[in-house]
Amino acid sequence: MHIDKLEKNWAGISLGIAGLFVTVILGSAFFHGIHAPSNVETIDSAKLHLSAEFAEDKLGVERNPNGSVTVRMVAGRYGFYPKDLTLPAETAITFRWVSLDVIHGVHMPMTNMSTMIVPGYVAQVSTVLHHAGDYPLLCNEYCGMGHAHMWSNIKVVSKAQWDALNTQGGANHG
């Protein structure tokens, strides 16, 4: 079978462009710290209120012995619970979410944090929030009529302010 030289050249150019796109995508993902979620952990969505980790009194912020922070939240029509959280800047933070009902998406604008929350699974994202300020937590997956009202607030403060809030009994549990 004979392939014309011009066809070979165009095939080579096409493959080169495709390879360049893949290289740019992988390079920018590596440079910006973007990675696919890899935590696969199941949970019974119908019994969240009975679970050791996602019972109502366990939701919110927990300081770990190594100085990092774990945030546990529940997504359900039509809100993220707890609604308001205060977190420290420049600290390793692990967000853990579960869904009560349907698929939700969670996105925090101006950060690298965005993931899907699928019923029956625990969604987990680790990040560091570098800048103090107020950040909305938005649902980016249509989940029903009240979808537009599904949000939560995260206030990021300096480590010193966060430590002071926690020694005063702070408001880190929703």
Side-chain angles (χ1 to χ4, degrees), residues 15 20 43 84-85 90 111 119 130 138-139 145 160:
L15 290 174
L20 177 66
I43 192 165
D84 297 294
L85 295 171
E90 300 300 333
T111 69
H130 297 286
L138 309 171
C139 182
M145 297 285 289

Side-chain angles (χ1 to χ4, degrees), residues 55-154:
E56 190 173 347
D57 63 331
K58 303 286 188 201
L59 297 179
V61 180
E62 177 185 351
R63 186 192 309 225
N64 301 318
N66 66 359
S68 67
V69 171
T70 300
V71 178
R72 289 178 183 82
M73 297 184 80
V74 172
R77 289 189 205 158
Y78 294 102
F80 293 109
Y81 306 102
K83 272 296 208 199
D84 297 294
L85 295 171
T86 302
L87 298 173
E90 300 300 333
T91 302
I93 300 171
T94 300
F95 287 89
R96 292 177 55 82
W97 288 282
V98 291
S99 172
L100 289 169
D101 42 32
V102 298
I103 294 176
H104 298 281
V106 62
H107 173 68
M108 187 185 298
M110 300 170 287
T111 69
N112 67 343
M113 202 176 72
S114 184
T115 194
M116 299 293 294
I117 308 169
V118 179
Y121 293 90
V122 177
Q124 180 172 307
V125 175
S126 296
T127 191
V128 174
L129 302 172
H130 297 286
H131 306 288
D134 293 325
Y135 294 87
L137 200 60
L138 309 171
C139 182
N140 60 5
E141 182 72 28
Y142 184 74
C143 54
M145 297 285 289
H147 168 73
H149 305 288
M150 189 165 175
W151 54 270
S152 196
N153 289 315
I154 294 189

